[in-house]
Amino acid sequence: VRSKNLFNVRTVKLHWQDNGDFLCAQVLRHTKSGKTTFTNFEIFRMRDSNIPNEMLEVREMIEHFSWEPKGYRFGIIHGENQHRHDISFYTLGSIEGGDKIELLYTVLGKSANNLYWSPAGNNVILAGLSNINGMIEFWDVDENMSTCSTEHFMCNEIHWDPSGRMVATVVTQPMFGSVAMRYQLENGFNLWTFQGVSLRKVNMEHFYQFAWRPRPKTLLNKKEIQKVMKGLRGFMSRYSKEDELRRKRMDTAANAEKITLLTKFRKGEKRRKERYENFVKKRITLGLWEEEKEDEYETLTETEEYVLNEKTEPF
């Protein structure tokens, strides 16, 4: 179907995109003298006629390559520093008939050696595992921004749930060997939202494996999925309005309940006050009532202040 001859090659790694739309051959090549090496990424567009090929050359050491699931973007981690690397994101334009490889942007100096893409795409975790000891950063590729940066000490696995809404960072230990002792104290898993909000932390002794329950395949075809993705902002706006109306109805119901309770309390207070006044009149009639003298007690007034709301506005 398609062939490509490569020369001065030391190693080749193949990376398929999840749907098989693209194939990347990561080729570590050496110069003619054999003293230095560099990396070529040979990208094949499997859905286009004759399977065209494009090449991306990177002169720095490559730490990691990863495709965006079901998309046409990819990220690479590169650099010469062992603990801090640069991360570059590229796009191919579209699944079929896209433009040339284009660099979106490069994120500099991150403590990461792995990329873990959400199954829904766009959101990716920049993870520093093994010798970086569990630094994780949640990244929004569309917006070019970090939504959360945190740490899960000794983390050695990361698993997205099939929907892409939650992710688990995991510390597991091998069943056998002396290495297992290293992880015993930190065994367990943390659950996060795709934006990096912590949901739950669980420590578990002798923890060997974590796996999400599989999710059934979608009933929508590709065109329907694309239609949903294109109109996603419209759906978000519509559902946001519906959520706001629902919240207002809930607030109104809660306020009505509060008003009912307040009215009931005030009626009871009025009855108790009338009962007390009648009691005072009877005691005065019987000559059993004495007026309170102000010099017999002391009135103390205490003032407490609470901050109900705080807002900072730029100049």
Side-chain angles (χ1 to χ4, degrees), residues 133-146:
N133 262 345
M135 298 300 298
I136 56 176
E137 186 167 358
F138 294 80
W139 193 267
D140 187 323
V141 178
D142 284 348
E143 301 297 332
N144 185 13
M145 64 177 288
S146 171

Side-chain angles (χ1 to χ4, degrees), residues 76-123:
I76 60 173
I77 300 178
H78 54 93
E80 306 301 330
N81 191 309
Q82 289 186 353
H83 299 287
R84 290 212 170 252
H85 300 97
D86 299 336
I87 304 172
S88 297
F89 293 99
Y90 293 83
T91 180
L92 296 175
S94 65
I95 300 294
E96 297 182 40
D99 297 327
K100 293 183 178 181
I101 300 173
E102 179 184 354
L103 173 65
L104 295 174
Y105 53 83
T106 298
V107 185
L108 302 176
K110 292 295 182 180
S111 298
N113 52 18
N114 283 273
L115 297 177
Y116 291 90
W117 289 87
S118 162
N122 183 42
N123 296 291

Side-chain angles (χ1 to χ4, degrees), residues 12-150:
V12 177
K13 296 179 182 178
L14 298 180
H15 306 280
W16 280 98
Q17 186 247 22
D18 282 5
N19 289 344
D21 298 324
F22 303 101
L23 171 64
C24 171
Q26 179 181 334
V27 185
L28 180 62
R29 305 179 68 178
H30 58 79
T31 57
K32 291 183 178 179
S33 64
K35 295 181 179 180
T36 59
T37 61
F38 58 96
T39 301
N40 282 0
F41 292 97
E42 303 284 346
I43 308 293
F44 296 89
R45 296 177 179 268
M46 307 304 294
R47 303 304 178 193
D48 289 348
S49 58
N50 299 321
I51 311 180
N53 163 244
E54 298 175 56
M55 189 269 289
L56 172 68
E57 182 178 305
V58 179
R59 288 285 174 175
E60 294 180 294
M61 182 182 73
I62 302 300
E63 182 71 24
H64 181 78
F65 175 96
S66 182
W67 286 105
E68 178 184 26
K70 304 174 184 178
Y72 43 82
R73 295 182 293 192
F74 62 88
I76 60 173
I77 300 178
H78 54 93
E80 306 301 330
N81 191 309
Q82 289 186 353
H83 299 287
R84 290 212 170 252
H85 300 97
D86 299 336
I87 304 172
S88 297
F89 293 99
Y90 293 83
T91 180
L92 296 175
S94 65
I95 300 294
E96 297 182 40
D99 297 327
K100 293 183 178 181
I101 300 173
E102 179 184 354
L103 173 65
L104 295 174
Y105 53 83
T106 298
V107 185
L108 302 176
K110 292 295 182 180
S111 298
N113 52 18
N114 283 273
L115 297 177
Y116 291 90
W117 289 87
S118 162
N122 183 42
N123 296 291
V124 63
I125 292 179
L126 318 181
L129 308 184
S130 300
N131 60 333
I132 306 183
N133 262 345
M135 298 300 298
I136 56 176
E137 186 167 358
F138 294 80
W139 193 267
D140 187 323
V141 178
D142 284 348
E143 301 297 332
N144 185 13
M145 64 177 288
S146 171
T147 56
C148 179
S149 182
T150 184

